[in-house]
Amino acid sequence: MTTPDLVIHVLPLIGSDDRRGDPRSTGIATVGGPWLGLIVSKAVGNAVIRHRVARRLRAAFMHNRDSYPSSQTMTVIRARPSAAELSSVALGTQLVEALSRRRVREAFESTGATGQTASRVLP
């Protein structure tokens, strides 16, 4: 899913007791999520700006952890160049907006209440 300044990929994980040969279920910690991956390319700015954007995205993610329907979730956020000019609050607002979309809610509903059977990756 996309926002004006971010591209966000969300994957509800398969539970540790449901390992039906799905590669997503191997080698992943079974407690402690949600997990975050960041992509902040050189298009965003120089090293100082990229690290600032990454820090702001981490802060926004940590502040909004309760917005996730399940703690067993992997999220990858790619910052667009326009993200360099935003505050943590603005980035957090876009993150919450993306997580509240119907496609995300449907993906989590299809996994069940405990996040046991993820069936698709959200673009």
Side-chain angles (χ1 to χ4, degrees), residues 109-122:
E109 288 169 3
S110 72
T111 64
T114 60
Q116 295 281 324
T117 56
S119 60
R120 65 183 194 205
V121 177
L122 299 177

Side-chain angles (χ1 to χ4, degrees), residues 38-47 49-51 53 57 77-81 84:
L38 296 175
I39 302 169
V40 185
S41 73
K42 287 185 179 182
V44 174
N46 64 25
I49 292 171
R50 290 193 312 268
H51 289 290
V53 170
L57 285 171
I77 302 173
R78 182 174 63 85
R80 293 182 171 168

